Amino acid sequence: MRLLEILLIGACLTMLLQLGRKPATNRLAGMLTGTAGIALLAFHLAVEGYRWQMLVVYITALICAVLLLLRPAHEVKPTPLRKAWRYGVTITAGLLVAASSALAAFLPVFDLPKPNGPYKVGTRTLHLTDASREEPLTTDPKDRRELMVQLWYPASNPPTGNRDKLFPEEDGAFEAYKQAFAKELNIPGFALDYWRYIRGNAYENAALLPSGKPYPLLLIGHGMGTGRILHSAQAENLASNGYIVAVIDHTYSTVATIFPNGKVTGFETDVSSEDLEAIGREVGGIWNQDAAFLIRHLEKVNAGESGSEFSGKIDMNNIGIVGHSFGGAAAFELAVTDPRIKAGINMDGTLYPVSKNANLTKPFLFIESEETIESKRKHLHEDIIQYEESLIKTTLQHNGSRIYMEGNRHYNFTDFQLFFRPASSHGLTGEINGRRGEFIVNQYVLDFFNKQLKGTGGELIQGPNPRFRR
């Protein structure tokens, strides 16, 4: 919970205790407490901002403060009934305040975990249009493929600008995200109002940190129906360790994509077919064309065509890709088909989008959650499972590795585990603490790319490590 919230709860309980005492003996103290309560409430709302979990605390604090300020110096002689009423109301109000406080602690406002690298992190957002490609997921032949891309990178110290909020608020962006996530979770939109206060660790539009050698490039692929917003903590951590990180919102395959002109697209990708392999190849092909287009764009930036400060600072000879779920499967396919990709990671993704003739000899890591194998046996056709296992086996015989993570479920590979605790009870995330789950995944991803793209590290992927045992 936030500092002023904790202080307000304490003030609220103090005022309740004051109201339970005789007014003649503590009127001055009551007036001071009531004044402080109103001032603290106003200061909290102005500085930290309202959230619905604290509504009972707000109402109780306001009522208590008014009663303390307006209470007469002498009251009517108390009777047993009046005493019982006073104590009953005070106890009931105290219990309601406690319940509201517990809800606020259960659904807290928080910051993303601090990156463990030596560098500050900057971020900026790109709006790109591939003029050579029709939009494959709309019916208007005039539509071109538009993408929103977010970059994270090592930033100059001290950074410029303000620390970035997780959800942007310009042009109604937060409202669009909020409603989209609420619809997906089947809950009222107001329940996610408090997400607007979540902050990351990156500084918007900060200057790139000068370096004697270019930074390796990492692409992160989101899962079907999620989006770049759920991989912010991982991107920040990688950037703090000396990488330029790019995450594409694959338009019409995200929970929501917000463009600078205010246009909002939602999830409109047809994945209802029983032929998952064909759907996977079609949509996976679109996503990998997006990734190839972004790489071409960054090649031009690195060559100095745009006059950007990133010119000459991106190591286009050391490109890695990591993806979650469907994005992990697409990452495997791109590693197979694109010679510019040097190494990759698939986080809990089934490999149905991949070409039948895939034969990957590049370094590639499979990270799977504890539930993965059991879930696949329940929900996937045996042919798909055998096909996937044959691809993994072939990869492992070359430069591949495979890791299982105990206590994890599918969304423990995203930031979702951090800001929605009830996800565990719904089976979306595992029993592992969200911050610990994020930390472990980030350490393995970083260790892998350090080895493959920088020639350092690589100890974690050799086998189980005692630092991460349950």
Side-chain angles (χ1 to χ4, degrees):
M1 294 179 64
R2 297 175 291 179
L3 176 61
L4 294 180
E5 289 177 342
I6 296 172
L7 294 176
L8 181 61
I9 291 168
C12 189
L13 295 174
T14 301
M15 288 188 290
L16 282 171
L17 290 175
Q18 290 281 359
L19 287 170
R21 299 172 63 187
K22 293 181 180 180
T25 59
N26 68 328
R27 187 166 188 267
L28 179 60
M31 292 184 69
L32 292 174
T33 305
T35 302
I38 288 180
L40 187 56
L41 174 60
F43 190 52
H44 156 68
L45 294 176
V47 175
E48 291 182 334
Y50 155 89
R51 61 181 179 126
W52 64 269
Q53 296 95 316
M54 294 280 291
L55 182 61
V56 172
V57 176
Y58 300 154
I59 294 173
T60 305
L62 184 60
I63 292 175
C64 287
V66 171
L67 289 176
L68 285 171
L69 291 171
L70 298 181
R71 190 165 65 163
H74 302 281
E75 65 176 350
V76 179
K77 183 178 180 180
T79 64
L81 182 59
R82 286 195 179 98
K83 286 184 178 180
W85 170 256
R86 177 189 294 170
Y87 293 146
V89 169
T90 300
I91 292 171
T92 300
L95 291 174
L96 290 174
V97 168
S100 182
S101 304
L103 185 61
F106 184 66
L107 299 173
V109 174
F110 63 93
D111 291 344
L112 294 184
K114 295 289 185 184
N116 67 358
Y119 305 123
K120 296 286 188 180
V121 178
T123 187
R124 61 188 64 182
T125 305
L126 309 178
H127 176 207
L128 304 177
T129 300
D130 187 352
S132 68
R133 194 159 44 120
E134 290 184 11
E135 173 53 67
L137 298 175
T138 63
T139 57
D140 188 344
K142 295 181 181 178
D143 287 345
R144 302 291 99 178
R145 183 66 170 168
E146 282 187 273
L147 300 170
M148 292 303 298
V149 178
Q150 190 163 357
L151 299 180
W152 287 264
Y153 50 88
S156 293
N157 189 19
T160 59
N162 298 316
R163 198 156 57 95
D164 192 35
K165 284 188 176 182
L166 182 63
F167 293 94
E169 296 195 276
E170 296 81 3
D171 302 319
F174 173 74
E175 190 67 24
Y177 274 122
K178 182 186 76 173
Q179 295 300 335
F181 274 101
K183 181 179 179 182
E184 190 70 20
L185 296 169
N186 198 27
I187 58 177
F190 79 87
L192 303 182
D193 272 344
Y194 69 102
W195 283 9
R196 72 172 68 246
Y197 305 120
I198 300 173
R199 286 192 178 275
N201 300 284
Y203 292 83
E204 192 171 6
N205 296 319
L208 179 69
L209 180 69
S211 173
K213 55 189 301 187
Y215 299 106
L217 172 64
L218 292 178
L219 309 182
I220 299 180
H222 62 73
M224 183 68 73
T226 59
R228 75 177 194 269
I229 209 83
L230 292 184
H231 292 277
S232 300
Q234 186 171 75
E236 288 180 351
N237 193 65
L238 289 166
S240 78
N241 282 279
Y243 291 90
I244 292 175
V245 185
V247 189
I248 304 172
D249 261 349
H250 295 288
T251 315
Y252 299 110
S253 297
T254 65
V255 64
T257 299
I258 294 91
F259 293 90
N261 61 3
K263 182 177 78 171
V264 179
T265 62
F267 183 70
E268 299 178 32
T269 304
D270 181 12
V271 292
S272 60
S273 172
E274 293 182 0
D275 191 352
L276 294 178
E277 190 173 336
I279 292 295
R281 285 184 185 155
E282 178 185 353
V283 180
I286 295 171
W287 288 22
N288 283 337
Q289 288 179 64
D290 294 343
F293 166 68
L294 175 60
I295 293 174
R296 292 196 301 272
H297 173 80
L298 293 177
E299 285 175 336
K300 294 177 182 179
V301 169
N302 196 53
E305 292 188 17
S306 62
S308 167
E309 63 180 320
F310 286 79
S311 174
K313 301 302 182 183
I314 310 174
D315 187 353
M316 302 305 297
N317 294 317
N318 281 291
I319 304 176
I321 186 167
V322 53
H324 169 245
S325 193
F326 192 95
F332 182 85
E333 182 175 21
L334 193 67
V336 171
T337 59
D338 194 324
R340 296 171 296 186
I341 302 296
K342 190 172 180 179
I345 300 176
N346 174 3
M347 300 187 298
D348 225 33
T350 301
L351 296 183
Y352 54 75
V354 184
S355 168
K356 288 284 188 181
N357 299 319
N359 185 17
L360 184 63
T361 59
K362 300 173 185 177
F364 201 90
L365 173 63
F366 300 93
I367 310 180
E368 297 176 291
S369 64
E370 188 176 25
E371 64 159 352
T372 298
I373 299 300
E374 180 182 351
S375 176
K376 288 178 181 179
R377 288 173 178 169
K378 286 182 179 179
H379 302 293
L380 296 180
H381 194 278
E382 186 65 27
D383 289 348
I384 293 178
I385 296 175
Q386 291 180 358
Y387 156 57
E388 180 189 39
E389 286 299 316
S390 68
L391 289 175
I392 294 175
K393 182 178 179 181
T394 301
T395 305
L396 296 180
Q397 290 171 347
H398 294 91
N399 290 306
S401 304
R402 193 177 198 179
I403 296 172
Y404 296 97
M405 299 196 67
E406 292 185 354
N408 274 27
R409 285 182 177 269
H410 195 55
Y411 285 96
N412 282 111
F413 296 95
T414 73
D415 294 347
F416 195 65
Q417 63 186 323
L418 298 173
F419 54 79
F420 196 69
R421 291 184 183 179
S424 178
S425 61
H426 285 74
L428 298 174
T429 60
E431 61 187 39
I432 192 170
N433 175 273
R435 286 187 175 261
R436 178 166 172 77
E438 184 93 32
F439 173 77
I440 293 174
V441 171
N442 285 351
Q443 292 311 295
Y444 274 88
V445 169
L446 176 63
D447 183 68
F448 174 83
F449 284 122
N450 278 346
K451 179 182 179 181
Q452 306 304 338
L453 303 184
K454 293 186 176 183
T456 63
E459 294 83 6
L460 291 182
I461 59 175
Q462 299 303 314
N465 190 293
R467 290 170 53 200
F468 303 119
R469 286 177 182 166
R470 295 171 62 189

